[in-house]
Amino acid sequence: MDADTIKKIYEGICKLLSDEKAFNEVCDKIYSGIEKAKAGTLKIEDMEKEMIQAAEKAGSKTPINKEMLEKMYTEFTSDKAKTVTKPEVAKSFREKLEEGKKKIEALKK
């Protein structure tokens, strides 16, 4: 990844961590995807479109990483996801954002 992409990702993470409304909207999209996976109607193409829309709505220009998208799809369709609750999704998402933020900050040093 180039420096510009990393900067955009970092800005997107900071935006989500500081804007509760944007954070909740993305969590709702994630949980909605899990619900669709449970029903057997989740398509990876639809996930990508929804992620792009959610990112744009939150004011982020972060590019969608195909590898990340595939990893999320695998997580959403796993047996573990079948029993996950909305608060657990929010907690896990916040932890992943914090972890990503720390990794980028460590790169800057």
Side-chain angles (χ1 to χ4, degrees):
M1 259 188 268
D2 63 18
D4 190 48
T5 301
I6 292 170
K7 183 177 183 246
K8 286 178 183 172
I9 291 170
Y10 184 76
E11 288 169 356
I13 288 171
C14 291
K15 166 86 172 147
L16 286 172
L17 289 171
S18 66
D19 183 339
E20 200 64 31
K21 186 174 183 248
F23 177 83
N24 288 332
E25 285 178 9
V26 174
C27 285
D28 287 346
K29 291 280 185 189
I30 293 170
Y31 194 72
S32 171
I34 292 169
E35 290 291 301
K36 287 177 184 173
K38 287 181 195 177
T41 60
L42 183 67
K43 293 185 181 126
I44 200 160
E45 304 82 30
D46 295 340
M47 270 182 72
E48 184 174 20
K49 284 180 203 161
E50 285 192 19
M51 284 176 64
I52 291 168
Q53 289 171 351
E56 287 173 351
K57 192 173 182 184
S60 173
K61 301 283 184 259
T62 306
I64 302 300
N65 179 313
K66 297 286 184 191
E67 190 178 305
M68 181 185 76
L69 185 66
E70 288 169 7
K71 186 177 176 189
M72 285 177 65
Y73 182 80
T74 301
E75 284 182 24
F76 286 10
T77 56
S78 72
D79 286 340
K80 183 182 170 206
K82 290 178 182 154
T83 59
V84 76
T85 64
K86 204 169 190 174
E88 289 170 333
V89 167
K91 182 177 181 272
S92 174
F93 184 53
R94 187 173 301 280
E95 287 169 358
K96 287 180 181 179
L97 289 173
E98 293 282 3
E99 188 179 304
K101 183 179 176 186
K102 285 178 187 163
K103 284 180 182 176
I104 293 171
E105 286 172 346
L107 287 175
K108 289 180 174 181
K109 292 178 183 175

